[in-house]
Amino acid sequence: MDSERGTPEAVIVVGAGMAGLACAVHLHEAGVPVRVLEASDGVGGRVRTDVVGGFRLDRGYQVFNTAYPEARRVLDLDGLDLRPFASGLLVQGRTARARVMLPWRHPRHALSLPLSGVGTLRDNAVLAAVTARDLAAPADLLRGGTERRTDEELRAWGMSERMLDCLIRPFLAGVLLERELETSSRVFHLLWRSFARGTIGVPALGMGQLPHRLADRLPPGAVTLGTRVSAVAADGVRCADGAVVGARAVVVAADPDTAGRLLPGLPVPPMRAVTTFYHAAPRSPLDEPIQIVDATGAITDTLVLTDAAPEHSADGRALISTSVLGLHADERQVRRRLTEIYGDTSGWEHVATYPVPAALPAMPPPHPLRRPVRLSPGLYVCGDHRDTGSLQGALVSGRRAAEAVLADLQPAGHPADRRPDHAPARSADRPGPATRR
């Protein structure tokens, strides 16, 4: 493309989600001029926080996992002021509720799983063996071996259908946005490892703090909002208004559907959908920062966010987040289930509903844990659909794309690292868990 405006010496990143911002930060900090073009009115992509009626509402329920190695590498965790949740969950059945906690985090609940009644003694032993293996094994071991569906994998370990239905499906439904357990077993083991190793929580001011912290590391004017890109090439992009912006290289960091339109032939995974409801209550109906998962399937999970992060409410009322698979959930039906879980909800206010049609890439087997980010010299792609469907995957893919750009921009003969995309990853490159959390 011939440049009509802009600075052809810059690298253009299309999309200011987590992958695009991470790519831009790595390029900028390596001394390469970068420009980020974002179609929407803010940075973050799927990771954004709105303020509605004094409440901080993430666009779909999301949490941060401290076991993400790439997040520790590129984000200032102390500056995020993370507010942790309990390392465990409450499993809500039709009428009864069972508590399951990580014993090394909550010693007084060390016997919570055996006493919960959600599985047999053999199931408890199987889950303990899976957890111990995933905690101790090198990540490369978890990425290899036999790949199959998660339900097939756990049956092969000896887990019963009762344990799958009463604990594993309810928990993973809210993480992977599917109840069939069809996600790749390799993804499951990496996911299970991260939950066993990390602490789950949210920044005090919402998940939107993550992309804003990355954007703040770019020079003023590097991010241009409200600019939709209609075509890309190795030497620039064409915007929806017809303007052409030249570039040294172009990185497409848009959502998978948009990336597929801009890059014909790029494989686009099916996307999982979820709807998140926010309600305000005069006071917390739980008084404990812990996730409740629904074994009946009426909802996936619910949580009193302000029990962990009171800053999410400006007036001291409790903020409850509840998610349901798909896009057609009815607030009245959700409210009925919440009444069964929490008690009287007649005094609750419905604050907002967020349908998220493309919340997470589907990851059934066979699922490559790493896809190429270099399409051709000068043209690159990144996003969690190129690694694992997670914040970790998005950040890693952004860094990999930046590394590929830097390698290709080096003068001939420069001793730059030109490790191809399919080469074995360094330890810091290992993809983290595939989860919206």
Side-chain angles (χ1 to χ4, degrees), residues 216-396:
D216 287 346
R217 290 163 59 181
L218 297 173
V223 179
T224 303
L225 302 177
T227 303
R228 187 174 301 276
V229 171
S230 59
V232 300
D235 61 348
V237 305
R238 184 180 301 277
C239 299
D241 63 4
V244 173
V245 185
R248 295 176 69 189
V250 173
V251 181
V252 176
D255 64 88
D257 284 343
T258 301
R261 290 195 297 271
L262 293 175
L263 301 166
L266 183 78
V268 176
M271 299 296 287
R272 308 286 191 194
V274 67
T275 300
T276 298
F277 296 84
Y278 287 102
H279 292 91
R283 61 192 62 84
S284 173
L286 194 62
D287 289 324
E288 182 181 5
I290 189 169
Q291 180 190 15
I292 300 176
V293 299
D294 188 4
T296 73
I299 62 174
T300 56
D301 49 59
T302 181
L303 177 79
V304 184
L305 279 168
T306 44
D307 283 349
E311 296 87 352
H312 278 53
S313 171
D315 61 9
R317 285 186 293 168
L319 179 65
I320 299 97
S321 166
T322 304
S323 293
V324 182
L325 297 185
L327 299 175
H328 306 294
D330 180 84
E331 193 272 337
R332 291 169 298 180
Q333 295 178 349
V334 170
R335 178 81 69 108
R336 283 196 288 271
R337 182 54 177 156
L338 293 177
T339 299
E340 294 172 349
I341 293 173
Y342 290 114
D344 182 21
T345 64
S346 59
W348 290 19
E349 173 191 349
H350 176 210
V351 179
T353 298
Y354 283 87
V356 187
L360 190 75
M363 293 170 285
H367 179 73
L369 293 176
R370 179 150 296 169
R371 292 179 171 89
V373 294
R374 179 191 286 109
L375 303 180
S376 62
L379 194 58
Y380 312 83
V381 62
C382 63
D384 63 356
H385 56 105
R386 310 309 294 170
D387 279 71
T388 53
S390 63
L391 175 65
Q392 164 75 8
L395 294 173
V396 169

Side-chain angles (χ1 to χ4, degrees), residues 4-291:
E4 294 180 2
R5 72 181 189 191
T7 53
E9 72 275 8
V11 172
I12 290 179
V13 177
V14 181
M18 294 300 294
L21 291 172
C23 179
V25 166
H26 287 296
L27 290 170
H28 168 65
E29 294 181 350
V32 174
V34 64
R35 183 175 180 188
V36 182
L37 304 180
E38 167 58 39
S40 74
D41 61 355
V43 301
R46 283 170 274 168
V47 186
R48 292 184 62 176
T49 303
D50 299 323
V51 178
V52 178
F55 294 101
R56 293 186 176 273
L57 311 180
D58 293 328
R59 297 190 179 183
Y61 174 51
Q62 304 173 58
V63 295
F64 185 87
N65 188 331
T66 61
Y68 292 154
E70 191 70 12
R72 294 198 306 268
R73 176 176 180 168
V74 300
L75 295 169
D76 175 15
L77 300 193
D78 291 337
L80 290 175
D81 194 11
L82 290 173
R83 302 305 172 89
F85 303 145
S87 295
L89 47 85
L90 301 177
V91 182
Q92 183 73 44
R94 189 66 60 183
T95 56
R97 179 185 294 173
R99 180 182 295 272
V100 179
M101 310 295 287
L102 292 183
W104 53 92
R105 296 274 171 75
H106 302 279
R108 71 188 184 95
H109 294 297
L111 298 178
S112 62
L113 179 59
L115 295 176
S116 67
V118 299
T120 65
L121 290 176
R122 175 179 172 81
D123 286 326
N124 297 336
V126 168
L127 193 60
V130 171
T131 304
R133 197 289 297 264
D134 289 353
L135 273 171
D140 285 344
L141 176 63
L142 302 183
R143 297 171 63 204
T146 302
E147 184 184 21
R148 48 196 164 196
R149 289 168 49 121
T150 293
D151 58 347
E152 295 171 347
E153 170 75 357
L154 293 176
R155 289 189 190 105
W157 277 78
M159 187 171 289
S160 73
E161 294 300 318
R162 174 176 172 79
M163 188 69 155
L164 290 174
D165 291 342
C166 292
L167 179 62
I168 304 300
R169 291 185 199 278
F171 172 59
L172 291 183
V175 176
L176 297 172
L177 305 185
E178 57 102 353
R179 289 188 180 274
E180 303 306 313
L181 299 180
E182 65 181 21
T183 297
S184 164
S185 56
R186 294 175 181 174
V187 171
F188 162 76
H189 284 297
L190 288 168
L191 163 70
W192 202 253
R193 171 192 180 92
S194 76
F195 276 102
R197 286 188 164 198
T199 298
I200 304 302
V202 293
L205 300 182
M207 289 290 287
Q209 290 295 297
L210 275 64
H212 280 290
R213 293 302 178 98
L214 288 176
D216 287 346
R217 290 163 59 181
L218 297 173
V223 179
T224 303
L225 302 177
T227 303
R228 187 174 301 276
V229 171
S230 59
V232 300
D235 61 348
V237 305
R238 184 180 301 277
C239 299
D241 63 4
V244 173
V245 185
R248 295 176 69 189
V250 173
V251 181
V252 176
D255 64 88
D257 284 343
T258 301
R261 290 195 297 271
L262 293 175
L263 301 166
L266 183 78
V268 176
M271 299 296 287
R272 308 286 191 194
V274 67
T275 300
T276 298
F277 296 84
Y278 287 102
H279 292 91
R283 61 192 62 84
S284 173
L286 194 62
D287 289 324
E288 182 181 5
I290 189 169
Q291 180 190 15

